Amino acid sequence: MVTNLSTYDPDDPVPNDIPNPSLEMSSFKPCRTNCKCSICFIISFIGLIMGLVMLILFDPLVNKILAYKMAIIQGREGHRFWKDPPANIHRKMYIWHCTNPIEVQNGGIPELIERGPYVYREEWNRSNVAYSEDLNTISYIPLTTLYFDRNQSIGSDDEYVTVINVPLMAMAHEVQFYTPVMQEGINFFIELLETKLFVNVTVKQLMEGYSDPLIEIASKVKPGVLKDDKFGILQARNNTYYQNFTIQTGINDITQVAKVVSFNGVRTLNYWSTPQANMLNGTDGSLFPPNLHKTTQVYSYNADMCRSYYLSFLRERKDGYVTLYDFHLSANVFNMSREENHGFCNHNSCLGDGVLNISTCYLGVWGFISSPHFFQADIKFRQDVRGMQPDENKHEFIMSFDPVTSVPFAVNVRLQLSFYMPNIKKLRLLKSVKPIIMPIVWFDDEARLTPEIHYLLSIVLVLLKAASYIKFILPSISLLFLLISSLFIYIQWRRIRHELANSKVPLLNGNGNL
């Protein structure tokens, strides 16, 4: 068709096939193109912003909440866990019963039989609690009460066992340096008191204390040093005030929560020969700083060991849907050949790897702490007696932590107490014995969270774990859908432009004709 421009009347209507530029520019409208795609774009954009905010703020927010909750301040969860642990706590005692005491006195190898467990339910309490003015530290006296649990025990605590005479070992450690004349006088004294190398006592007597003439005399010779005239494995531990701790509350720095500041009024121990050995490292064992890592060494002070010790990462395991880190007492802690442990060997008192001489904090009595059955100790200690059968699953000191809160879900503090039996030629009871470390008991301090707390804490941890995944998943998915919806909108926009371009009337030529 040819149109003469000279006859064009501006009042004539514009032909429909002539494109309107403003119509072209406004033809692309997302909702008109695809309303669902536009909504997806908007939601994805909002989700991306929320995801990025969550990615940046989630960990700091959780850490801030944990720092507030876990501080040992009245009204907070940390104080409740510290003052009244929501756990079932039992001390399982295993006694080394000697079946051949006469042969041992004549130089034979002790034949030992493990008797137990004899189970005691533990109740923890904190007495004389006092905060510092700035609430940075708290002082207290730990009070533990033990109740014999017949139902969980292998037998009654009235059963008799034969064990090494610990009061005699204490006396022997002193008199071995006496002159021969004085040692002969000690022989007369021992026979007069009818003292034996081994004693036959009930489990209750061994745990709670039994009277002994040697201790009765020693308490009169050294008044104020000995508390009473009885000896018992659990005597000092049961419902007695014999420790005083000052620890940090963590109110200003949660990484310092429950860290020991002083013990029995001193900031540094005086039991050992080096400053490093005498340091008070770590917590009091009640709480631990949150956010535990596999490379962390978990330090605590243990009054029974008279020293600080550390636990090392062993493995990761599942407890239902919760991930736990198992930390154990590695062989390095009692490895006296390591330079870091040389300070625990006062005056060459270390007899080998795997046993710790605690005589310096137990009135000079040569007592030794080790793992049960001399697990991870020099083989010579197991060969000196018969009956040792070390088993990693039964005898390893282990604690299972939730790595987020560092709350122990399960605890098994397993240690063995032994005493050195010296050979003293001038003492008739000891002139023929083999000088060995003689085990007397080992124990398993077992703690498990109560079912209610275990369930509630597990739910919180699962939710935190899910949120930790969501903070990555949400922005990732949002970004993906944002790109897809943007691409789809762009394709739709290109298609409409292409359709509009194809529907345009050709431009006027130079002659004024189409």
Side-chain angles (χ1 to χ4, degrees):
M1 179 179 70
V2 179
T3 303
N4 194 324
L5 294 177
S6 61
T7 62
Y8 174 71
D9 187 352
D11 294 331
D12 289 343
V14 179
N16 293 334
D17 57 351
I18 296 177
N20 189 334
S22 63
L23 179 64
E24 178 183 348
M25 295 301 294
S26 62
S27 295
F28 175 70
K29 294 182 179 180
C31 282
R32 292 182 181 180
T33 304
N34 193 321
C35 188
K36 291 182 178 179
C37 185
S38 301
I39 293 174
C40 180
F41 179 88
I42 295 171
I43 293 176
S44 298
F45 182 77
I46 295 173
L48 179 61
I49 298 300
M50 293 177 61
L52 291 175
V53 170
M54 188 175 180
L55 187 63
I56 296 171
L57 298 181
F58 178 77
D59 286 343
L61 182 61
V62 169
N63 290 335
K64 189 172 183 179
I65 293 173
L66 277 176
Y68 177 83
K69 295 285 188 181
M70 296 306 293
I72 309 175
I73 302 297
Q74 286 186 349
R76 302 186 190 181
E77 279 72 9
H79 182 269
R80 286 191 283 269
F81 269 69
W82 169 80
K83 185 172 178 60
D84 186 17
N88 297 316
I89 308 171
H90 296 87
R91 170 164 281 212
K92 300 179 178 180
M93 304 297 301
Y94 298 83
I95 300 171
W96 288 115
H97 170 71
C98 182
T99 61
N100 62 336
I102 302 301
E103 288 82 352
V104 173
Q105 185 172 332
N106 293 327
I109 298 177
E111 299 278 355
L112 303 180
I113 297 177
E114 180 183 282
R115 293 273 188 87
Y118 297 95
V119 182
Y120 294 80
R121 178 172 56 86
E122 293 191 34
E123 287 186 2
W124 289 6
N125 198 359
R126 315 294 185 185
S127 179
N128 294 31
V129 177
Y131 284 93
S132 61
E133 290 185 4
D134 57 5
L135 300 182
N136 274 327
T137 62
I138 182 173
S139 300
Y140 71 96
I141 295 175
L143 187 62
T144 302
T145 307
L146 300 172
Y147 302 92
F148 181 68
D149 190 334
R150 176 63 181 85
N151 293 330
Q152 295 193 51
S153 301
I154 194 173
S156 168
D157 60 355
D158 290 331
E159 295 176 351
Y160 277 86
V161 290
T162 300
V163 295
I164 190 73
N165 188 338
V166 176
L168 175 63
M169 296 302 102
M171 186 199 70
H173 176 70
E174 285 199 23
V175 303
Q176 64 180 322
F177 304 107
Y178 288 3
T179 63
V181 175
M182 293 180 66
Q183 289 178 350
E184 283 294 341
I186 295 295
N187 275 323
F188 172 78
F189 176 71
I190 289 176
E191 292 176 359
L192 181 66
L193 297 177
E194 298 182 349
T195 299
K196 305 295 183 185
L197 181 60
F198 288 83
V199 295
N200 189 244
V201 293
T202 66
V203 173
K204 184 175 182 178
Q205 289 175 325
L206 181 61
M207 295 299 126
E208 299 181 12
Y210 63 90
S211 297
D212 185 275
L214 290 177
I215 299 182
E216 291 177 1
I217 295 173
S219 63
K220 295 177 181 178
V221 174
K222 297 181 178 181
V225 177
L226 297 177
K227 295 180 180 180
D228 50 41
D229 57 359
K230 290 185 177 182
F231 168 77
I233 301 295
L234 301 178
Q235 182 186 8
R237 185 181 179 90
N238 190 14
N239 202 29
T240 56
Y241 298 84
Y242 72 105
Q243 299 173 355
N244 191 309
F245 281 92
T246 297
I247 61 174
Q248 296 195 42
T249 62
I251 188 172
N252 295 320
D253 184 359
I254 198 60
T255 63
Q256 301 300 308
V257 66
K259 293 290 183 70
V260 177
V261 176
S262 67
F263 173 71
N264 285 345
V266 299
R267 293 177 176 265
T268 303
L269 302 174
N270 59 0
Y271 302 139
W272 313 108
S273 61
T274 65
Q276 181 181 358
N278 280 315
M279 291 177 63
L280 290 170
N281 291 322
T283 75
D284 64 347
S286 59
L287 289 177
F288 300 88
N291 295 316
L292 188 62
H293 301 286
K294 295 179 180 179
T295 56
T296 304
Q297 288 183 328
V298 181
Y299 277 87
S300 294
Y301 175 73
N302 186 295
D304 291 332
M305 290 187 194
C306 309
R307 60 164 288 186
S308 296
Y309 68 96
Y310 62 87
L311 303 179
S312 305
F313 177 78
L314 177 63
R315 58 177 172 257
E316 179 181 317
R317 67 180 180 89
K318 287 288 186 180
D319 181 0
Y321 295 102
V322 177
T323 299
L324 298 180
Y325 287 176
D326 284 350
F327 279 71
H328 72 136
L329 189 75
S330 74
N332 292 338
V333 175
F334 290 150
N335 185 344
M336 298 308 159
S337 301
R338 294 174 62 89
E339 184 177 355
E340 65 189 60
N341 291 324
H342 287 174
F344 299 110
C345 297
N346 297 339
H347 309 296
N348 299 319
S349 61
C350 290
L351 302 183
D353 291 339
V355 295
L356 173 69
N357 189 332
I358 56 174
S359 60
T360 55
C361 60
Y362 283 95
L363 305 178
V365 180
W366 269 44
F368 288 83
I369 292 287
S370 68
S371 293
H373 289 247
F374 294 116
F375 173 64
Q376 294 180 330
D378 286 346
I379 191 172
K380 65 180 181 180
F381 299 120
R382 295 194 293 273
Q383 292 175 340
D384 285 340
V385 295
R386 294 195 178 103
M388 302 295 105
Q389 297 177 339
D391 185 332
E392 178 182 355
N393 296 323
K394 296 179 180 179
H395 305 138
E396 189 165 40
F397 183 140
I398 194 164
M399 298 181 72
S400 301
F401 296 94
D402 154 51
V404 178
T405 63
S406 294
V407 170
F409 271 55
V411 176
N412 289 96
V413 177
R414 294 162 173 156
L415 295 171
Q416 179 171 279
L417 177 62
S418 306
F419 291 92
Y420 183 67
M421 183 170 64
N423 178 279
I424 303 176
K425 297 301 182 182
K426 293 296 182 178
L427 291 186
R428 283 186 277 276
L429 287 179
L430 295 169
K431 68 178 182 180
S432 300
V433 302
K434 294 180 62 177
I436 61 172
I437 294 180
M438 186 77 171
I440 183 168
V441 298
W442 73 269
F443 62 85
D444 180 359
D445 266 344
E446 181 185 85
R448 299 289 184 271
L449 287 178
T450 61
E452 298 81 5
I453 296 298
H454 185 285
Y455 175 74
L456 291 174
L457 193 54
S458 296
I459 290 177
V460 171
L461 294 172
V462 169
L463 292 176
L464 285 175
K465 191 70 172 180
S468 68
Y469 289 138
I470 291 173
K471 73 178 182 181
F472 294 106
I473 295 173
L474 179 59
S476 301
I477 293 179
S478 297
L479 180 61
L480 177 63
F481 276 93
L482 186 65
L483 293 174
I484 293 174
S485 58
S486 299
L487 180 63
F488 186 79
I489 291 172
Y490 175 73
I491 293 173
Q492 291 289 349
W493 179 71
R494 288 293 301 269
R495 183 179 62 79
I496 291 174
R497 283 197 63 187
H498 182 70
E499 290 176 354
L500 289 174
N502 290 337
S503 66
K504 289 180 181 179
V505 178
L507 297 174
L508 297 175
N509 58 28
N511 297 323
N513 296 325
L514 292 174

